[in-house]
Amino acid sequence: MNQENKVIIICDNHHNGLNIARSFGSQNIFPYGIIICKDIKECYINKSKYWEKTLIIDSYNKLIDTLVDNFADSELKPVVITCSDTAGEIIDLNYDKLKAFFILPSIGGKQGEIFRLMDKEYQVEFAQKYHIPTAKTWVLKPATYQNTVRSIIFPCIVKPVSSYEGIKADIKKCNNKDELNQYLKVIFNEKNYTRILVQEFLEFDYEIEFVGSYSPRTNSYLISRTHRGWPIVGGTNSFFSIVDDKNINLMVERIIEVFKEIQFNGLFDIEMFNINGDIYLNEINWRNTGNSFFSLGTDVHYAVVWYYAMINKENTSLKRYCIDCNQFAMNEATDLRHCVFGNYSFWKWNADRARTNSFALWYSKDLKPTVIRYVQLLKKLVKK
């Protein structure tokens, strides 16, 4: 295929961006990358053979200037894909400035709308508006939280209201009022949060990941169930497989209708819970997922489908979905920690590895970044 519109992937030095580049490269489309990495010596994803060109910057503060200076004069509008919440936030808050030069993800073509719905407080209101079940939720602030604590249901989970206000490491499960009060003192007094989200901790049967792309022209996605995650509480999935379930599919259909109604256009990552067959929304990420490597095993290249839709073309050879429940995916870098730091047998883990089709780092057609990252992780393990 003769590439007409460039693809620009904005990402951290993370397997998220690496695998979306591999997804495009496997379809003979070689993307450009803007990689945010403070230490260029640590950057490994730029070693992939599938990049057309990469630009490495040490701060998101340089993102807009880098994007405009290097790509705004392209003959055809480049298609921009964001792979982190920070990238999604910055692009969305500069939508009006950039839309003349780039094809961008958006909600209704309105600047700031994706940014607004990145806020988990608004996401709860959003879910309620469209009758999508969620856990009971409270947003606490330093001056008034003591009045609210008495109404909270335990156990509960505490987490940042949005990714740009905190980090995953601050997610914590609290089993009673004393634990919650103690942790809130840490959150507000030591970590200087101005607000924090507290949700009823749902005892779910398993977590669901619904990831893919949506546009007015078409959609493409993968639905998986999580078998293991790391860290165990508040972490991300590390071993998962395709799931084909009637109730889940009905929820997916409902969410797609909502996408249509709000005029969403872009890539997404949605976390849900299955509780006795009932499906609850946990979180919506309005950008590409870290699970993008599942495209490589399932051959569902949802980002490429979206790219073609954005340039008003269609590749009918591309798969849109996968319902093969024998398709497994593993982030080997984090899942192996269940053996090293947990209580999972290495022999059981190796059996899981043997039946896995998609890996976060390992990809036999593009091994240079894999080897570099394995060496980096091994050095960190030895130091610990």
Side-chain angles (χ1 to χ4, degrees), residues 14-15 228-231 236-240 293 330-341 349 360-361 373 377:
H14 185 273
H15 66 78
R228 286 191 296 274
W230 189 268
T236 55
N237 55 356
S238 58
F239 182 57
F240 47 105
F293 60 93
M330 178 185 287
N331 181 346
E332 66 270 39
T334 56
D335 198 59
L336 185 58
R337 297 178 195 188
H338 284 277
C339 301
V340 178
F341 304 110
W349 179 85
L361 296 172
R373 187 55 177 161
L377 291 169

Side-chain angles (χ1 to χ4, degrees), residues 92 95-96 99 104-114 262-265:
D92 193 54
Y95 181 86
D96 290 343
K99 65 182 180 181
L104 308 167
S106 75
I107 295 177
K110 298 177 182 177
Q111 177 168 299
E113 193 64 11
I114 285 178
I262 67 173
Q263 301 178 57
F264 172 63
N265 191 359

Side-chain angles (χ1 to χ4, degrees), residues 87-120:
E89 169 195 342
I90 293 171
I91 295 299
D92 193 54
L93 291 177
N94 288 273
Y95 181 86
D96 290 343
K97 173 183 178 180
L98 298 174
K99 65 182 180 181
F101 309 104
F102 302 96
I103 298 173
L104 308 167
S106 75
I107 295 177
K110 298 177 182 177
Q111 177 168 299
E113 193 64 11
I114 285 178
F115 174 73
R116 185 177 72 87
L117 282 175
M118 288 169 66
D119 187 305
K120 294 182 179 63

